[in-house]
Amino acid sequence: MTAITDMTEQEEILNTLINQKAECYKLVVTLRIQNKTIEADNVKGKALVLSAKIDELLGKSMDEWVIDTKALLDDLTIVNKEIKTSIDQIKKALKTAENVVKFLKNIDKVIDIASKII
Amino acid sequence: MLRNNIRMILAIPLATGVLLTLWGCPKTNPKPFIQFSESIQELRTGADAALTINDEENKERFIEQTAAASLTPEGADAINNLLLTTDPTDPFAWHMDKTPLFMKSQNFRSGVYTLNTALVKYAELLKELSSPELLSTERFDDLTKDLNANLGSASVSLGIKDVGKELAIFSVTATETLHTYLEKQRKDALLKALRENHDNLLELSKKMQKAVRLATTNLNHNYSDESGKLIEILADQKMKDLNKKKEQVKKLVEINQVYVNRIAVMQALHESYAALPRVNSDMIKLVENPKFDASTLKEIFENGKHLKNLHGELVKVGKSNNDTKEGGK
């Protein structure tokens, strides 16, 4: 298993809130079994408040992630363009060699004509 | 005189060719780059599929919570939030008092996909750069044949005889020299790309791991709300029908199984993204020394295949769950 060393405080808070929400749901079950309806409703209300809070925090974290990755995306786009240029240069070098050979073929014809005249 | 000149012309590339061949430039093995490219595509597919499921569940939860809130005395805000407002100065702008999570997670998924696409493009370019197609043997063979034919006819035109063998050596050497030169240029370009992009990959690895963790948090959040609701129904003391209880238990067991599978997908994604910098380092070593045993590449390739299988299972389970829901309606 990969050790998660880069987890932020915000992520830990989120995970803790989700755990607390799950505990609330378990408590609701215990209270329902004991027919303590009012208490169960109260705890369920807390779970729903926690759920809304988690939604808010999670949405904020996602927004931040999108903003944080913009610079990296630009860098990657530049790197990809550079690799593409390298590929094009190799293709061009090979094409040039082929063109030179074609050019030589034409020169041959000129030499052939010239040698007949001489 | 002409004959001597031709011999001199032949000697120069022959010597260069021998030097370049001695200097040595082993061909780049394209297989690891093909595997890398395939694995990265699996990563993108796996991540997008996992995030799409989250989006759908976030949306479902929003609908359910808003509908429930509309029945409460404090429900006005939740209802009003459904009415988007416009901007008098900008006909294309819209506003929502409180953007729901599903809209944010859709934007997040799009960001993850875009970053993954940049990574896919990088892997594809590396594959193209290492591909035998780029410097295909056929093209060099044709070049040799054409050069040989051209020089042969030129020498005949100039009245030079008995140099056929030397001209053939010349054309082979000339194209081999070019091949070796371009092979070296390819290797240098690959190394440059891999080395210069290493820091970016390190950063990308961290960002994507964080993205997977956020998506997993989202998954945990949705799971606890869904199963929390179901265990509460199961605990309802007014419900005495054992068959109905069994149905609830069955639903919970199925939800748990799907959840465990989805966590496994997330973990495979997290591990694969964590391995990216090591894979890049191994690819550098592999280009430097084609005999290098790049175990991380095998690891990420196996992880990619594992991810594909897990994802396939998830789609099947998801489909069967939807069928159950449809059937239950």
Side-chain angles (χ1 to χ4, degrees), chain A residues 1-2 11 15 21 25 32-33 44 51 55 62-63 65 68 76 80 91 97-98 101 108 112 115, chain B residues 61 104 118 122 125 128 139 146 150 153-154 157 178 204 207 213 217 221 224-225 232 237 271:
Chain A
M1 192 179 278
T2 313
E11 287 175 73
N15 293 334
K21 186 180 64 165
Y25 284 128
R32 295 261 183 247
I33 297 274
K44 195 183 171 183
S51 186
D55 268 10
M62 287 174 177
D63 284 347
W65 185 91
D68 277 355
L76 280 170
N80 284 345
K91 281 181 182 169
E98 285 168 345
V101 172
D108 280 352
D112 196 30
S115 61
Chain B
R61 215 161 36 82
K104 292 193 178 215
Y122 170 66
L125 286 166
E128 190 180 348
R139 280 181 82 176
D146 286 351
N150 294 344
S153 57
S157 302
L178 178 69
L204 185 136
K207 294 262 192 277
R213 290 200 303 272
T217 302
H221 178 38
S224 76
D225 267 6
E232 192 189 351
Q237 293 304 289
E271 282 171 7

Side-chain angles (χ1 to χ4, degrees), chain B residues 100-233:
Chain B
L101 180 63
F102 81 87
M103 288 172 89
K104 292 193 178 215
S105 70
Q106 280 171 351
N107 189 39
F108 173 67
R109 175 164 64 93
S110 164
V112 169
Y113 192 86
T114 306
L115 198 54
N116 264 329
T117 300
L119 185 61
V120 165
K121 183 84 188 155
Y122 170 66
E124 275 175 0
L125 286 166
L126 290 183
K127 187 176 83 176
E128 190 180 348
L129 197 51
S130 69
S131 165
E133 299 287 314
L134 187 63
L135 297 173
S136 82
T137 315
E138 289 79 19
R139 280 181 82 176
F140 281 97
D141 286 349
D142 289 346
L143 211 57
T144 308
K145 270 186 239 157
D146 286 351
L147 197 57
N148 197 8
N150 294 344
L151 287 170
S153 57
S155 62
V156 170
S157 302
L158 290 168
I160 305 159
K161 289 168 190 168
D162 305 329
V163 287
K165 194 182 165 193
E166 283 163 327
L167 282 173
I169 293 170
F170 169 80
S171 54
V172 168
T173 312
T175 47
E176 268 181 5
T177 306
L178 178 69
H179 201 162
T180 311
Y181 166 74
L182 291 179
E183 202 56 69
K184 189 184 178 305
Q185 202 179 337
R186 175 227 289 270
K187 185 180 167 183
D188 289 348
L190 257 176
L191 281 173
K192 186 174 178 277
L194 289 164
R195 283 178 184 146
E196 287 185 359
N197 208 25
H198 194 72
D199 286 348
N200 281 333
L201 275 189
L202 206 62
E203 190 63 17
L204 185 136
S205 164
K206 284 181 187 167
K207 294 262 192 277
M208 293 311 278
Q209 283 179 75
K210 187 176 179 183
V212 173
R213 290 200 303 272
L214 280 176
T216 310
T217 302
N218 194 168
L219 163 68
N220 292 340
H221 178 38
N222 288 341
Y223 165 76
S224 76
D225 267 6
E226 190 178 8
S227 54
K229 192 176 66 188
L230 290 172
I231 57 169
E232 192 189 351
I233 296 171

